[in-house]
Amino acid sequence: MSVRVRVPEGLSARVPAEQRGPGLDRDDVRLLVSRGTEVTHHVFAELPRLLRAGDLLVVNTSPTLAAAVDGRTGHARVVVHFSTRGDDGRWAVELREPDGRGTTRARAGTPAGTEVGLPGGARLVLEEPLSGRGERLWWARVSGAEVLRVLREHGRPIRYSYTERDQPLSVYQTVFALPSPDGAGSAEMPSAARPFTARLVAELVSRGVQFAPITLHTGVASAEAHEPPYPERFAVPAASARLINAAKPGAGRVIAVGTTAVRAVESATGPDGVVRAAEGWTDLVVTPERGVRVVDGLLTGLHEPEASHLLMLEAVAGRAAVDRAYEEALRGLYLWHEFGDVHLILPEETPHSERCDGNSW
């Protein structure tokens, strides 16, 4: 991305929209809309008028876990961020240290074999780095208690220093979140869907917009580390695959709600552009070189200039469009991060489609 400016600290959303003033709700955030390099400014409550009958929103149903747990290694206090549960029962974790302000900072120099005492008598042992990229995330084994029980009883949502205070877990759940049969979930909220309210969903449905649920459990994405995404668990049900395939030949556009939804649906899409039911692990990284096979548009938050998510945005919209949108977001003082404003990327309209569509945009 050619926009290389650092996002000013004052543009970090420190509290959720509904806590910024009386009478506000989750959908009281701003909405930047891109169609190619054309950018317009809206509020999120206008979304039903920006979409049209036949459009399909792909939404992530993964619930957010209370994935941050206090622990001790020797005499040192640490905070364990539980990221992803592996098929062998181990968990990918990140060890961080308290920063004295209620949040955490990166912790360096943690070797294999490090033991961490957890609440309730549980014990965690680091076994091996998750990948050869570095030693931020480790595969760890927990004994003495079941991890999901530790999270339920002693965990809290992961938060970073740009936020003002701890929030209840309900603040980090989207309207689409559903309990997983095995208790799994996301270490960090699939935040692009956070501005949706039940009222707004009902209005979208009444206007003929459809929803295709998928699941992708997100791992941790430390504020200091802008890395390509690690493998994550996902599922695209057969019913959602049918909805997506049916939308493509008609006038409907497939719009992913969040980069997690892009990763899941593109992982289930073959080279022929057909989406098939799929589940398991995906290591797909969507880049401009790889491109997208089925997604036409994307609703997403605003990402740091170094974030790997921006490569996915470029795959959907092109680099010029992303650069233009971020210039406008900075100029317009949009708010960043999970409680911030959102960006809707729509395909450019052709003169023919504008004539066929009676909606006024």
Side-chain angles (χ1 to χ4, degrees):
M1 182 179 183
S2 60
V3 176
R4 293 297 181 188
V5 296
R6 171 64 58 182
V7 178
E9 188 175 338
L11 295 187
S12 294
R14 296 180 60 76
V15 296
E18 64 272 22
Q19 297 178 15
R20 294 179 199 147
L24 297 180
D25 206 340
R26 288 181 173 220
D27 57 5
D28 286 299
V29 295
R30 298 169 70 191
L31 176 64
L32 186 78
V33 179
S34 297
R35 297 181 188 88
T37 55
E38 176 195 345
V39 177
T40 54
H41 303 271
H42 305 267
V43 294
F44 193 77
E46 294 178 65
L47 182 65
R49 293 193 284 112
L50 294 164
L51 302 179
R52 60 194 185 206
D55 284 342
L56 180 68
L57 295 177
V58 182
V59 297
N60 189 356
T61 63
S62 178
T64 308
L65 300 175
V69 178
D70 292 324
R72 285 190 174 273
T73 175
H75 297 292
R77 294 174 56 222
V78 296
V79 178
V80 181
H81 286 180
F82 284 87
S83 180
T84 305
R85 182 172 58 188
D87 292 336
D88 61 359
R90 297 186 299 176
W91 279 76
V93 302
E94 179 184 13
L95 260 59
R96 296 175 66 87
E97 55 188 41
D99 63 3
R101 301 188 299 273
T103 53
T104 61
R105 56 178 169 249
R107 187 176 195 269
T110 305
T114 296
E115 296 187 13
V116 180
L118 298 174
R123 186 175 71 101
L124 176 150
V125 179
L126 300 186
E127 292 191 349
E128 59 181 332
L130 191 64
S131 80
R133 298 182 202 160
E135 297 184 352
R136 182 175 72 87
L137 288 174
W138 288 77
W139 284 117
R141 198 169 295 279
V142 176
S143 59
E146 203 271 325
V147 170
L148 291 174
R149 180 178 176 182
V150 173
L151 301 188
R152 284 194 303 270
E153 295 181 358
H154 304 286
R156 60 186 179 277
I158 290 173
R159 77 174 182 98
Y160 296 111
S161 58
Y162 51 77
T163 56
E164 188 172 288
R165 57 180 176 271
D166 281 345
Q167 299 282 351
L169 185 59
S170 59
V171 167
Y172 289 88
Q173 303 294 5
T174 75
V175 71
F176 304 111
L178 295 171
S180 297
D182 61 357
S186 289
E188 297 183 13
M189 173 177 54
S191 55
R194 191 184 189 280
F196 284 89
T197 62
R199 179 186 66 249
L200 190 69
V201 171
E203 184 180 350
L204 286 162
V205 171
S206 73
R207 288 173 174 262
V209 175
Q210 295 182 292
F211 291 84
I214 58 86
T215 301
L216 186 138
H217 298 311
T218 67
V220 298
S222 293
E224 308 86 3
H226 299 294
E227 304 163 321
Y230 289 87
E232 293 168 318
R233 290 173 57 196
F234 82 105
V236 175
S240 293
R242 286 195 297 270
L243 282 170
I244 296 166
N245 291 329
K248 295 303 290 179
R253 300 167 296 184
V254 176
I255 299 169
V257 177
T259 57
T260 60
V262 176
R263 193 181 202 197
V265 74
E266 291 288 329
S267 296
T269 305
D272 56 359
V274 175
V275 183
R276 296 172 176 85
E279 63 179 311
W281 292 85
T282 177
D283 59 2
L284 176 65
V285 179
V286 178
T287 63
E289 293 73 28
R290 189 268 185 190
V292 288
R293 294 172 178 167
V294 70
V295 170
D296 299 309
L298 172 61
L299 178 72
T300 183
L302 293 166
H303 304 285
E304 293 280 359
E306 300 89 349
S308 61
H309 295 302
L310 289 171
L311 293 175
M312 182 183 289
L313 271 63
E314 290 181 19
V316 175
R319 182 165 182 165
V322 176
D323 284 352
R324 173 78 178 123
Y326 273 64
E327 288 167 0
E328 279 292 301
L330 288 166
R331 190 177 65 82
L333 303 180
Y334 277 66
L335 295 179
W336 256 251
H337 302 303
E338 64 268 28
F339 298 141
D341 298 317
V342 282
H343 178 202
L344 175 62
I345 298 171
L346 292 174
E348 293 184 78
E349 294 293 319
T350 65
H352 174 73
S353 64
E354 288 172 354
R355 287 196 302 269
C356 291
D357 178 23
N359 291 341
S360 173
W361 290 31

